């Protein structure tokens, strides 16, 4: 099972997997899944793409979508930041953070253009 299949399952009932609906919980669950795949020698292309490109892609998408509401001092162009940082800047409600993550995740894997 790769990251796409994994997230599709979680998306249906996140609380069943992560308990309290918090982006931090979801992120830890995803990290554990990816680490398990790595140590199990499951070398899926989608896992590699997610780890390599998703955070930077999220930064660009969030900058486009939320440019009016982002304080530029908080949204420093820094490719070493994770997607969690950028989602936390634009959303304060934990359920909304998770919804935004799922939206961005779906767009990432359906969008043919890569930054």
């Amino acid at each position: 099972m790769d990251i796409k299949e994994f997230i599709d399952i979680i998306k249906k009932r996140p609380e069943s997997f992560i308990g309290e609906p918090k982006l931090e919980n979801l992120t830890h669950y995803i990290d554990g899944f990816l680490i398990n795949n790595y140590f199990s020698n499951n070398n899926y292309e989608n896992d590699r793409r997610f780890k390599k490109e998703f955070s930077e892609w999220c930064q660009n998408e969030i900058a486009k979508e939320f440019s009016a509401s982002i304080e530029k001092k908080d949204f420093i162009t820094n490719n070493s930041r994770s997607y969690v940082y950028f989602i936390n800047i634009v959303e304060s409600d934990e359920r909304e953070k998770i919804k935004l993550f799922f939206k961005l995740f779906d767009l990432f894997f359906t969008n043919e253009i890569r930054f």
Side-chain angles (χ1 to χ4, degrees):
M1 175 185 312
D2 72 3
I3 189 73
K4 283 177 62 176
E5 296 166 310
F6 181 69
I7 295 299
D8 283 343
I9 292 169
I10 293 173
K11 192 178 357 176
K12 293 174 186 170
R13 293 190 344 242
E15 289 88 358
S16 297
F17 296 93
I18 63 172
E20 187 178 355
K22 295 175 69 174
L23 182 60
E24 181 180 353
N25 293 356
L26 178 60
T27 301
H28 290 310
Y29 204 67
I30 291 168
D31 290 346
F33 171 81
L34 292 170
I35 289 168
N36 178 65
N37 272 359
Y38 176 79
F39 283 113
S40 300
N41 291 319
N42 294 327
N43 197 14
Y44 297 113
E45 175 64 23
N46 286 332
D47 292 1
R48 288 191 307 273
R49 285 181 53 212
F50 178 80
K51 289 187 290 188
K52 183 178 178 185
E53 301 173 24
F54 187 66
S55 288
E56 183 178 353
W57 184 89
C58 280
Q59 177 184 3
N60 292 321
E61 286 298 306
I62 289 171
K64 286 190 294 189
E65 187 172 333
F66 295 94
S67 62
S69 63
I70 296 172
E71 288 188 41
K72 298 301 180 194
K73 67 179 177 64
D74 291 334
F75 204 80
I76 300 168
T77 302
N78 184 339
N79 293 339
S80 66
R81 302 253 187 207
S82 92
Y83 62 89
V84 176
Y85 172 81
F86 301 109
I87 291 173
N88 280 326
I89 286 175
V90 296
E91 291 293 350
S92 58
D93 180 75
E94 288 296 331
R95 290 184 190 278
E96 292 303 314
K97 289 177 187 181
I98 291 173
K99 285 182 192 176
L100 180 56
F101 168 81
F102 288 138
K103 176 183 172 185
L104 290 167
F105 185 89
D106 289 343
L107 286 171
F108 176 74
F109 279 107
T110 58
N111 190 351
E112 296 299 319
I113 299 171
R114 293 285 177 251
F115 297 99

